Amino acid sequence: MKRLATPRNIPKMVTIALAIAIFVLLILHFWSYSYTLSNNLSTENWYFRKLNFGEEKNAPSVFSTLLYVIISVLLFKIATSNLAIKKHNVFWISLGVIFLFLGADELLRIHEKIGGAFSDNVETSGIFYYSWVIPYGIALIILGIFIVKPLFSLPRRTLISFISAGTIFIIGAVGFEMMGGWYIDNHIIDHSTMYKSRPVFILYTIEELLEMIGLSAFIYALLRFQEKYIIPRP
């Protein structure tokens, strides 16, 4: 008789499932790009719009939104549970709300609307070609100031896993977004064809892939944290 999944192997099983999903999405993403170029099609074709990492409201963006929602649920669960360590409720709840917003942002592209409004008042170029990175970067710094104390009060292994996941995510979401903006701005690539540009394709592929990996790593870290520090209710 097969053993049922125990709490101890759930983090590993979830991580493997997420890794498989990311791999499948990555293969489909490459295929949609290759199919579009080999058939000399517009990026408006169905396969590109539904499978490409650079498009919105498609399979990759829905998957990323799901990752944000899972993280929010896990964070809210921690906030409402008894912990074997000192609990900072504001820390966990704030992170839960932030990731819920980021999930909505991923699906609805709120950052692009904010970036558009920002560009109407401030001229941006180069690494700030995508102007949303400025207000979001400022918000990230302010958030870092407020969460640094409760973050560094976490157990060492949890702290390292949280910081590692966050670093991977930020390098993708902000770092490669800025690199992509710099390349597009300096090479004057037309918006209608920029997703066909190989350098741009490589940059936004790495960007989105790092975001997915970072979010998945955070989910694993949260599951391990819950497994170790949540005290089951009687």
Side-chain angles (χ1 to χ4, degrees):
M1 184 176 180
K2 290 184 178 180
R3 291 176 57 192
L4 295 176
T6 62
R8 188 162 296 280
N9 60 26
I10 284 177
K12 183 177 180 181
M13 292 172 63
V14 169
T15 304
I16 291 173
L18 293 178
I20 292 172
I22 292 171
F23 178 74
V24 171
L25 287 171
L26 183 63
I27 294 299
L28 293 173
H29 164 71
F30 275 108
W31 178 82
S32 71
Y33 178 78
S34 175
Y35 176 81
T36 299
L37 260 63
S38 61
N39 290 280
N40 197 28
L41 298 174
S42 162
T43 54
E44 291 300 312
N45 75 80
W46 189 90
Y47 296 108
F48 194 92
R49 287 188 295 107
K50 297 302 180 183
L51 301 174
N52 190 270
F53 283 4
E55 295 294 317
E56 59 186 65
K57 296 179 182 178
N58 60 3
S61 66
V62 169
F63 175 75
S64 293
T65 300
L66 178 62
L67 295 179
Y68 285 113
V69 172
I70 291 172
I71 289 172
S72 295
V73 170
L74 293 174
L75 289 166
F76 288 136
K77 181 182 177 182
I78 293 171
T80 56
S81 300
N82 295 321
L83 299 183
I85 60 173
K86 184 178 180 181
K87 185 171 71 169
H88 300 273
N89 280 336
V90 174
F91 171 74
W92 298 109
I93 293 172
S94 298
L95 285 182
V97 172
I98 288 167
F99 275 92
L100 203 57
F101 168 78
L102 291 175
D105 187 323
E106 177 67 26
L107 199 61
L108 303 175
R109 299 285 180 169
I110 298 171
H111 62 280
E112 292 183 0
K113 298 179 178 65
I114 293 175
F118 191 84
S119 296
D120 289 341
N121 298 291
V122 180
E123 185 177 348
T124 57
S125 60
I127 61 173
F128 299 116
Y129 177 79
Y130 292 113
S131 56
W132 67 265
V133 300
I134 299 175
Y136 273 58
I138 294 171
L140 180 63
I141 293 171
I142 294 172
L143 173 65
I145 294 171
F146 280 100
I147 71 168
V148 65
K149 186 175 180 179
L151 178 65
F152 278 84
S153 69
L154 293 171
R156 181 175 176 79
R157 182 171 292 184
T158 300
L159 172 64
I160 292 173
S161 61
F162 278 22
I163 291 177
S164 298
T167 301
I168 293 170
F169 176 83
I170 291 171
I171 288 174
V174 180
F176 274 86
E177 181 86 341
M178 294 173 76
M179 289 171 62
W182 174 86
Y183 184 87
I184 291 168
D185 189 39
N186 280 273
H187 292 79
I188 316 176
I189 298 176
D190 186 81
H191 270 267
S192 62
T193 59
M194 70 177 183
Y195 285 140
K196 283 189 175 183
S197 164
R198 283 186 174 82
V200 174
F201 171 78
I202 292 170
L203 288 170
Y204 73 74
T205 297
I206 297 174
E207 173 194 339
E208 296 295 332
L209 185 59
L210 288 178
E211 287 183 31
M212 292 180 189
I213 292 173
L215 292 172
S216 298
F218 193 37
I219 289 173
Y220 175 78
L222 288 171
L223 288 171
R224 288 297 303 272
F225 178 85
Q226 292 186 5
E227 175 185 85
K228 191 168 185 179
Y229 297 108
I230 284 185
I231 301 173
R233 298 185 186 277

